[in-house]
């Protein structure tokens, strides 16, 4: 009698819901709002799915093949977008060299060189700073390129860049009340937001 009562009082053994092995992609297996993550599918605490099922989204089966195909398609779109972005384009730019006097610009004093397109970078345009922002590794190439495009009698070397900026302002003066500056117009060939060629506008 005691054994019968004890057997009757034992709680039923709970097991995760098991799904058949023949589930296919997109098959409706749970409610429309049900999402079962990849980690939950792997853990198998509440549901047991066959190995080819990756997750459940909107109550429907998503297989590992679905995920691989989606990843490949995403990579294809990214590569296509990168190819379009990297296609060389020629744009008009201005090479702008200026000197910030310490009295007026105590935190950013000294000589600076920018190459600007029709709009500044933060406005969705093109802008490159040669000796202020931008990657250090690309600076020697940019310096050599701008010095070659606008020669002022100095070898195109990083060591001569400060002297080049001063000569550039003397050669291409652009009167401004607050500071010394010079500007010259050029054509820039751009690929992947990098200037690969700079040619002065021929008068």
């Amino acid at each position: 009698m005691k054994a019968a009562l004890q057997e009757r009082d034992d709680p039923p053994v709970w097991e995760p819901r098991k799904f058949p092995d023949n589930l296919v992609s997109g098959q409706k297996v749970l409610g429309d709002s049900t999402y079962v993550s990849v980690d939950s599918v792997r853990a198998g605490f509440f549901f047991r799915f066959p190995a080819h099922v990756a997750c459940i989204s909107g109550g429907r089966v998503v297989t590992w093949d679905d995920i691989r195909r989606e990843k490949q398609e995403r990579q294809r779109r990214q590569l296509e977008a990168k190819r379009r972005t990297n296609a060389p384009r020629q744009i008009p730019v201005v090479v702008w060299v200026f000197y910030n006097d310490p009295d007026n610009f105590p935190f950013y004093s000294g000589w600076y060189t920018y190459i600007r397109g029709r709009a500044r970078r933060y406005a969705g345009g093109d802008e490159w700073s040669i000796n202020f922002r931008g990657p250090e590794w690309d600076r020697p190439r940019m310096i050599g390129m701008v010095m070659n495009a606008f020669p002022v009698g100095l070898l195109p070397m990083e060591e001569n860049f400060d002297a080049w900026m001063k000569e550039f302002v003397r050669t291409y003066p652009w009167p401004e009340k607050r500071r010394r500056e010079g500007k010259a117009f050029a054509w820039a060939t751009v690929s992947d937001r990098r200037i690969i060629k700079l040619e002065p506008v021929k008068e």
Side-chain angles (χ1 to χ4, degrees):
M1 183 68 178
K2 184 177 180 181
L5 289 174
Q6 183 176 358
E7 187 175 305
R8 188 177 61 188
D9 292 340
D10 286 342
V13 177
W14 182 87
E15 291 186 358
R17 179 180 172 184
K18 186 175 181 180
F19 288 85
D21 292 338
N22 60 350
L23 294 181
V24 296
S25 173
Q27 183 175 342
K28 183 79 174 295
V29 293
L30 296 169
D32 291 341
S33 61
T34 305
Y35 175 77
V36 184
S37 68
V38 172
D39 290 337
S40 295
V41 169
R42 285 174 173 168
F45 291 139
F46 302 102
F47 306 102
R48 293 282 176 87
F49 292 99
H52 69 281
V53 174
C55 63
I56 303 297
S57 179
R60 297 184 181 276
V61 171
V62 178
T63 66
W64 288 109
D65 285 341
D66 293 333
I67 291 179
R68 279 190 288 270
R69 280 194 297 269
E70 182 180 350
K71 182 178 180 181
Q72 290 171 353
E73 177 61 21
R74 184 170 63 251
Q75 290 174 338
R76 185 195 66 78
R77 292 195 303 267
Q78 290 173 346
L79 182 60
E80 185 63 28
K82 189 172 183 180
R83 283 173 178 166
R84 289 196 301 269
T85 303
N86 292 353
R89 58 192 176 94
Q90 192 177 60
I91 61 171
V93 296
V94 59
V95 177
W96 178 35
V97 179
F98 59 91
Y99 177 74
N100 281 342
D101 189 276
D103 293 336
N104 297 324
F105 302 93
F107 298 108
Y108 300 102
S109 61
W111 288 95
Y112 294 94
T113 298
Y114 280 79
I115 300 175
R116 280 184 171 177
R118 293 177 179 175
R120 297 187 184 183
R121 177 176 296 224
Y122 57 75
D126 298 299
E127 180 180 276
W128 296 265
S129 173
I130 294 183
N131 59 331
F132 179 45
R133 295 189 300 264
E136 293 281 349
W137 59 266
D138 201 31
R139 188 164 295 169
R141 184 188 69 86
M142 292 287 286
I143 287 175
M145 184 170 56
V146 74
M147 291 180 72
N148 275 317
F150 296 94
V152 292
L154 295 168
L155 289 175
M157 301 169 57
E158 193 169 359
E159 291 79 3
N160 292 333
F161 191 50
D162 284 347
W164 176 88
M165 287 187 283
K166 297 173 185 176
E167 290 300 322
F168 181 93
V169 170
R170 294 191 187 100
T171 307
Y172 305 96
W174 195 275
E176 214 275 351
K177 292 182 180 179
R178 292 190 306 163
R179 57 189 169 197
R180 289 177 285 167
E181 64 178 324
K183 292 182 181 180
F185 297 98
W187 289 102
T189 303
V190 180
S191 175
D192 194 23
R193 294 204 57 80
R194 293 179 71 232
I195 298 178
I196 58 178
K197 189 177 182 180
L198 187 67
E199 297 177 294
V201 172
K202 296 179 180 179
E203 298 181 357

